[in-house]
Amino acid sequence: MQSWTIRTSSEEETIQAGMDLARHLDGVVLLSGDLGAGKTTLVRGIVAAIEGAQPDEVASPTFTLIHDYGAGVFHVDLYRLDRASQIDTLGLEEIFAQARLVLIEWGEKLGRLTPAQRTEIFMEPCGDNQRLIRVLELEESDAAGIVST
Ligand code: ADP
Ligand code: MG
């Protein structure tokens, strides 16, 4: 398990933080934090730093649940989904199996689809334009209750 904490003081600094984080990220990345915490802003930075990935013209994927940015990069927003049955029908397992990077806002809603190996990013305001960004990298072996046979 590895963790980092980043503090930013503006939207631009959060975009830069995303760009810096990008090369450390792969697989499934869950982003949590209230509306306006800066999840989409951080994602913009991450995607901007990945060669070949191209966000579509819509800045937030809230209306479209899953965006394919190319280069194996996907952006998912679960904000509007509250029932496990809705989340189960998105085909996320298939995306997890093939993607290089899947960035999921409101990732705490994933429920049973949450992979043991994942990165969790928590964002919270801490002052006017300040944001606290905590990044936690979880390995398969960190999962509590998994008994190896
Ligand atoms: P979320 O996806 O978590 O709902 P957004 O990234 O869409 O949040 O919006 C974050 C909002 O907060 C934007 O309006 C942005 O300009 C503002 N903001 C102010 N300070 C920051 C900061 N340090 N980092 C990110 N966003 C910030
Ligand atoms: Mg958002």
Side-chain angles (χ1 to χ4, degrees), residues 22 25-29 46-47 50-55 66-76 92 94-104:
L25 300 176
D26 60 13
V28 177
V29 177
I46 294 168
V47 174
I50 298 175
E51 206 174 324
Q54 198 63 251
I66 302 175
H67 282 231
D68 179 351
Y69 290 163
V73 178
F74 292 81
H75 182 191
V76 181
L92 288 175
E94 233 173 285
I95 290 174
F96 291 175
Q98 60 165 63
R100 159 181 171 191
L101 182 63
V102 190
L103 300 154
I104 308 180

Side-chain angles (χ1 to χ4, degrees), residues 35-36 38-41 60-62 75 77 105-106:
L35 267 186
K39 301 179 294 299
T40 302
T41 303
S60 161
T62 298
H75 182 191
D77 194 328
E105 295 190 46
W106 300 93

Side-chain angles (χ1 to χ4, degrees), residues 8-11 14 33-42 105 128-131:
T8 65
S9 307
S10 66
E11 181 177 339
T14 295
D34 288 341
L35 267 186
K39 301 179 294 299
T40 302
T41 303
L42 189 73
E105 295 190 46
D128 272 355
N129 287 321
Q130 315 233 30
R131 298 292 190 274

